[in-house]
Amino acid sequence: MHGGRPGAPVRAGVALRPSGRPADPVAVLTVDDDGPGIAPQERERVFQRFSRRTDSPGSGLGLTLVAQQMALHRGTVRISDRLEGPGARFEIRLPRLGDTDTDDTRTMELPLRRDWLSDFPGPDRP
């Protein structure tokens, strides 16, 4: 993890719980950090490939991969403000096995061409 306050280690809290609503049978994983947070207008952009702050030591792929895996496993990820103090909350919601009316627990089918991280045109793409 990165994105903490200068000169201080990054601190994060992690929790896993059921949604608590029978109509919404999902597992909810939350990660709260005490970094600078993510402005509401930037929250969708951070899931884009190579999107990062200018002072970030990361490559800009970490949250892209998180969003990709959530989509492949029929889940979601969203960012909000941390409940207490500065920082961000990342909330992942994944369907819970055995709690749905269907026995379909497969992940989404992967495309034959595995270029979901690339928006750049290639030799055989416009």
Side-chain angles (χ1 to χ4, degrees), residues 58-108:
S59 66
L61 287 176
L63 290 173
T64 302
L65 295 172
V66 169
Q68 171 203 17
Q69 290 302 308
M70 291 309 96
L72 288 172
H73 290 87
R74 300 178 183 179
T76 60
V77 59
R78 72 180 185 97
I79 302 170
S80 60
D81 292 329
R82 192 171 154 212
L83 297 179
E84 297 176 10
R89 168 170 277 195
F90 296 83
E91 181 181 273
I92 293 171
R93 300 173 74 83
L94 288 166
R96 292 185 356 199
L97 296 179
D99 284 345
T100 61
D101 293 336
T102 178
D103 291 332
D104 186 5
T105 58
R106 297 172 294 149
T107 59
M108 293 177 65

Side-chain angles (χ1 to χ4, degrees), residues 1-11 33-36:
M1 286 182 63
H2 53 83
R5 295 184 201 137
V10 176
R11 296 176 56 122
D33 70 30
D34 68 349

